[in-house]
Amino acid sequence: MAKHPVDPALQECDPPPSGKLSRERMLACALEIIDRDGIEKLTMRRLARALNHDPMSLYRYAPNKAALLDGVAETVLDQLAVDPTDADWTAQLRAVARQYRRLVLSHPHVVPLLVTRPLATPLALRPRGTLRPLEAVLTLLTRAGFTDADALHVYRALFALLHGHVLDELREHADNPEENDDLLRLGLHRLPADEFPLLRGLATTLTSYDGAAELERGLDILLTGLNTTLTPTP
């Protein structure tokens, strides 16, 4: 099988010493390319060059780019640990939320694969690895005494919060990071003061955004509400 020279820009995707390709190595290299250059820069041909393998060898593990991207999503979510036996379901959900945030911040270019791509795929057709966190959270909550339906409601509420949070945290907040004046830094000086007095008044708060603290506050609100409205059966 013909080999291609390793792409000098992708030296971190060195193949294993044996030279043998594996699905795990292929997906790890694909994730490295996405982390560095974004999803749109990942192609089967470029990935093959990075691994110093013929492009056709990749199709043994992923029949097309869509399957490759699904595999990358599974690779990332494999790092999300959920303990369905934890007796303290609120503490476990909080731990899962913190992990999820760290994963996304470590792989920001993967966000579309985790947040928006699944919307176009029926649940049963999604990669099984991406469904395991859902199954684990449902197990955690039903063991805690929630009905199956309420457990699903809790999962949806939690990940709706997480997806909204990570998208907000990854969004660029400042028009001009070098500007000292908060109104100018965020571009809020462009808004009429008589129409947006509260938003303009929050300039300092907006520029001092703390993603970790913001997530904790959101979890406080969510989990307090869940404890009030969806009390599990002992």
Side-chain angles (χ1 to χ4, degrees):
M1 183 180 292
K3 297 291 183 70
H4 297 272
V6 178
D7 185 340
L10 302 174
Q11 290 294 330
E12 62 268 41
C13 289
D14 289 340
S18 65
K20 293 182 179 179
L21 183 64
S22 67
R23 184 175 186 270
E24 290 74 19
R25 185 70 198 108
M26 179 189 72
L27 294 176
C29 185
L31 178 57
E32 290 172 20
I33 294 173
I34 290 174
D35 281 343
R36 185 176 53 253
D37 300 321
I39 293 173
E40 65 282 356
K41 297 296 184 181
L42 175 66
T43 65
M44 300 295 275
R45 187 170 298 277
R46 184 181 184 188
L47 179 59
R49 287 199 305 269
L51 290 164
N52 200 25
H53 274 266
D54 188 276
M56 294 306 296
S57 64
L58 272 61
Y59 291 97
R60 176 183 177 186
Y61 303 102
N64 49 48
K65 185 177 178 180
L68 179 64
L69 294 178
D70 286 342
V72 170
E74 288 184 290
T75 297
V76 173
L77 288 178
D78 276 346
Q79 302 173 59
L80 184 65
V82 182
D83 179 5
T85 66
D86 193 335
D88 188 340
W89 64 272
T90 58
Q92 183 59 208
L93 290 186
R94 194 178 288 272
V96 169
R98 292 168 179 165
Q99 282 186 71
Y100 190 83
R101 173 180 174 267
R102 287 195 296 269
L103 276 175
V104 169
L105 294 183
S106 297
H107 306 287
H109 290 306
V110 178
V111 169
L113 303 183
L114 304 179
V115 179
T116 57
R117 181 177 170 80
L119 299 177
T121 307
L123 190 66
L125 297 181
R126 296 175 193 172
R128 292 187 180 181
T130 66
L131 296 178
R132 290 193 178 99
L134 166 57
E135 184 70 19
V137 170
L138 293 178
T139 302
L140 168 74
L141 294 170
T142 53
R143 286 172 61 95
F146 287 98
T147 66
D148 292 355
D150 280 348
L152 181 59
H153 292 319
V154 174
Y155 173 88
R156 286 173 172 168
L158 174 65
F159 276 83
L161 168 67
L162 287 176
H163 290 162
H165 173 82
V166 297
L167 289 172
D168 190 58
E169 186 165 2
L170 291 172
R171 185 182 301 126
E172 180 63 44
H173 289 279
D175 289 347
N176 181 5
E178 303 303 319
E179 175 60 57
N180 291 324
D181 185 283
D182 294 336
L183 279 173
L184 296 176
R185 182 180 177 188
L186 290 172
L188 293 178
H189 63 288
R190 303 186 184 99
L191 299 178
D194 57 337
E195 292 184 44
F196 300 95
L198 295 176
L199 187 56
R200 286 171 59 100
L202 284 168
T204 299
T205 302
L206 290 169
T207 55
S208 60
Y209 179 86
D210 182 332
E214 195 72 20
L215 176 61
E216 294 299 324
R217 180 60 176 143
L219 289 170
D220 288 342
I221 295 170
L222 174 65
L223 296 175
T224 298
L226 290 174
N227 272 303
T228 301
T229 61
L230 294 177
T231 303
T233 302

